[in-house]
Amino acid sequence: MAAPTTTPRKFLGRLSLPERTFVADALRAETVGGVLLLVAAVAALLWANVLGGSYEAVRDFHIGPAALGLDLSLQHWAADGLLAIFFFVAGIELKRELVAGELRDPKAAALPVVAAICGMAAPAIVYAVVNAVGGGSMAGWAVPTATDIAFALAVLAVIGTSLPSSIRAFLLTLAVVDDLFAILIIAVFFTDNLNFAALGGAVVGLGVFWLLLRKGVRGWYVYVPLALVIWGLMYNSGVHATIAGVAMGLMLRCHHREGEEHSPGEHIEHLVRPVSAGLAVPLFALFSAGVSVSGNALHDVFSRPETLGVVLGLVVGKAIGIFGGTWLTARFTKAELNEDLAWPDVFAVAALAGIGFTVSLLIGELAFAGDATLTGEIKAAVLMGSLIAAVFSAALLKRRVRTYQALCEEEERDDDLDGIPDIYEQDNPEYHLRMAAIYERKAAEHRRKAELAGASRGEGDSPA
């Protein structure tokens, strides 16, 4: 008896229909957020370079209760407060991927996890090599490791409109894993002077949050005040306050129970994502992206080892790391690239992940907190590296757009007009019966038109 043959597993293959719908909705929301983020970043640059004095006065204006340790500048409120909302959504996304998305299957999860790890390690190595050779500071090694999903998907929406859903999902999943490791980097490497009393209070608050969720308690008036208390305690503990947002996001249930159309996590994400993408992240960009741009500043970006390391890490390290990790996974496992795609597609998306705006700016502020001048230069390097990565990846995507269009047309085709793309019904006998009926009806219409045309020609040829 012959041994059964195993079909090589395809990666970047066709998504399930529910997963594809989720990815499409997430892409639309993140795309709008990316556009707003771009507008806020441009506004910050114009404001800082035209009316620099007023920009600094507003950015450094302090507000908040000093007795609670929360007398913060507007810039810190944006970075520590509003970004907690962004990381709350990231936590929900990660939880959903773990229980219902691409990360629920360890074999399928291996690809984006390996790609994300390589995509963070390679930029850090590039930064370290540049600064080791140039004698710069190693403190900024983590700056080029992050990917800004909102900016990346905004570029994808403009240039790669016909990108297949599978590779879009790969970018989305990759960015979620990237966010997780960025959170770990912030928690491990940028936490000092721990206040264990405040940290203990935050942990207790998270325990109460989890218990209320498990008991099925509902009502924003319960969870919002509790979330604010947890955030305040986490901030005062010395751990970056955004970790509180991630922890609460991970606690939400993201799998469906019988009779549920949406899980609580999906419902809350649907409500909070517009606040994150439309308010929290753009305001962070407004108060963080305002750097002075001049000829000397641009020269310093490409001549100073710290800033050059950031630029090369984002542009070169990200592309090589993600593409290399993906290729090695395919080379040394049984996985094969989907036959509809080519390796240039993967490289284009890997280059797109070099857009590292939001979290890179945050890590830059944390890494060089004691040096305002270098912090500004690092921010300029993040902006420059992200811009170069966006232009480079856009050029690569543009070259593949015709191929993408053909793939997307095949994915979207719905000849039987039942609202479900035909590609998802090809193994369904009822689908084949419907298609046979459609083809028979079209053939009958064609025969009837031919008969009418023949009859018309016969009447024209008959004598009067």
Side-chain angles (χ1 to χ4, degrees), residues 245-414:
V246 178
M248 288 184 279
L250 286 170
M251 290 181 181
L252 294 174
R253 178 170 62 81
C254 292
H255 61 272
H256 292 185
R257 290 178 177 169
E258 187 176 354
E260 282 185 342
E261 184 177 357
H262 301 289
S263 67
E266 291 173 330
H267 176 67
I268 293 173
E269 181 189 4
H270 178 73
L271 296 175
V272 178
R273 186 186 287 274
V275 179
S276 170
L279 179 67
V281 177
L283 280 178
F284 168 76
L286 182 64
F287 291 117
S288 294
V291 296
S292 178
V293 178
S294 63
N296 290 334
L298 294 177
H299 175 268
D300 290 341
V301 166
F302 293 100
S303 60
R304 184 161 185 163
E306 292 89 349
T307 51
L308 181 60
V310 169
V311 173
L312 292 179
L314 289 172
V315 177
V316 179
K318 274 289 184 183
I320 293 177
I322 292 173
F323 180 81
T326 306
W327 185 85
L328 288 172
T329 303
R331 176 67 178 82
F332 294 105
T333 68
K334 295 181 179 179
E336 290 183 358
L337 183 66
N338 183 5
E339 61 272 7
D340 291 332
L341 299 173
W343 284 109
D345 304 334
V346 181
F347 185 75
V349 173
L352 186 61
I355 302 175
F357 189 82
T358 305
V359 181
S360 289
L361 288 176
L362 176 61
I363 295 177
E365 291 179 357
L366 297 174
F368 299 101
D371 190 335
T373 301
L374 186 52
T375 299
E377 292 175 348
I378 289 292
K379 289 182 179 181
V382 170
L383 296 175
M384 182 58 65
S386 299
L387 177 62
I388 295 172
V391 173
F392 178 53
S393 59
L396 295 175
L397 290 169
K398 198 67 177 177
R399 296 189 62 180
R400 297 288 297 168
V401 71
R402 290 184 180 178
T403 303
Y404 294 150
Q405 287 173 345
L407 291 173
C408 274
E409 286 174 4
E410 181 64 22
E411 278 192 357
E412 298 293 337
R413 189 163 56 85
D414 184 18

